[in-house]
Amino acid sequence: MSTTIRRLSGRSRKTLLAAHILSSAAWFGIDLALGILVVTAMLTDVPQTAGIALQAVEIFAIWPMFFASIVCLATGALLGLGSKYGLVRYWWVAVKLGVNVLMSTLIVFALRPGVGAAADVGARLLAGDRTAVVPSDLLYPVVVAPTLLLVAYLLSVFKPWGRIRRQVRQRQPLSVSEELPVA
């Protein structure tokens, strides 16, 4: 049984690769901006600055970041399917795929509720509530997400670890002249 993989044409591959790189760069940039806003909110002594920073996170971070992650996932999957690398043929591709799926899921199910709660704290800070405290749990995603994205970039550049499973060559049956002697 032979498996035929349809390779991407040069133009299609370049277009997908450009979209993949741009979406991952957008994702990384949004993550960095998220980090700047969170750190600003945590370090400032001005409640209004903290409040505005926290509300800005809710306005732009979740859905643009999720959209960039989905575009990155889709273009990466298409590139994998249309190239010699495949989706789960090489370790570096499989790890990138896993990281993308995990992070995209975490954006919606873990980060979104935390950002919503932080925006509520931001509104309280802007209203003058002195008991409102900037949540420190937002610091975790702004450290982990860019780190994982950096790992994914480095995997793309260095392509470590090789194939997941080496292809086993099928042995050809011995010909009559090559038969082993019977004892």
Side-chain angles (χ1 to χ4, degrees):
M1 182 170 155
S2 74
T3 307
T4 306
I5 297 175
R6 182 176 171 164
R7 303 287 176 174
L8 292 168
S9 68
R11 176 176 277 168
S12 297
R13 183 186 166 286
K14 287 177 184 177
T15 301
L16 282 171
L17 186 59
H20 186 66
I21 291 169
L22 290 172
S23 63
S24 65
W27 187 1
F28 192 71
I30 294 167
D31 262 332
L32 291 179
L34 173 71
I36 290 167
L37 289 169
V38 168
V39 169
T40 297
M42 293 179 86
L43 296 180
T44 187
D45 293 331
V46 180
Q48 290 78 17
T49 302
I52 290 169
L54 291 175
Q55 289 194 322
V57 166
E58 183 182 44
I59 292 169
F60 90 93
I62 299 302
W63 297 116
M65 189 183 322
F66 181 70
F67 178 73
S69 75
I70 294 302
V71 171
C72 186
L73 178 63
T75 56
L78 291 171
L79 283 166
L81 291 172
S83 74
K84 67 180 181 179
Y85 296 114
L87 283 180
V88 289
R89 196 174 298 151
Y90 288 85
W91 281 108
W92 68 273
V93 178
V95 169
K96 281 184 59 179
L97 178 65
V99 165
N100 190 310
V101 169
L102 173 69
M103 289 178 63
S104 297
T105 304
L106 288 175
I107 288 169
V108 175
F109 295 108
L111 186 59
R112 187 172 54 99
V115 166
D120 292 341
V121 170
R124 289 175 44 211
L125 286 168
L126 288 172
D129 183 352
R130 299 277 183 200
T131 63
V133 178
V134 176
S136 61
D137 59 346
L138 282 180
L139 197 55
Y140 177 73
V142 296
V143 171
V144 172
T147 302
L148 287 175
L149 288 172
L150 181 60
V151 166
Y153 294 152
L154 293 174
L155 288 173
S156 294
V157 171
F158 294 108
K159 299 172 180 46
W161 309 317
R163 292 180 75 89
I164 290 178
R165 183 173 24 146
R166 303 247 183 245
Q167 289 182 345
V168 179
R169 287 185 175 170
Q170 291 183 348
R171 295 189 61 177
Q172 298 294 327
L174 296 174
S175 66
V176 175
S177 62
E178 295 175 339
E179 286 185 19
L180 297 174
V182 179

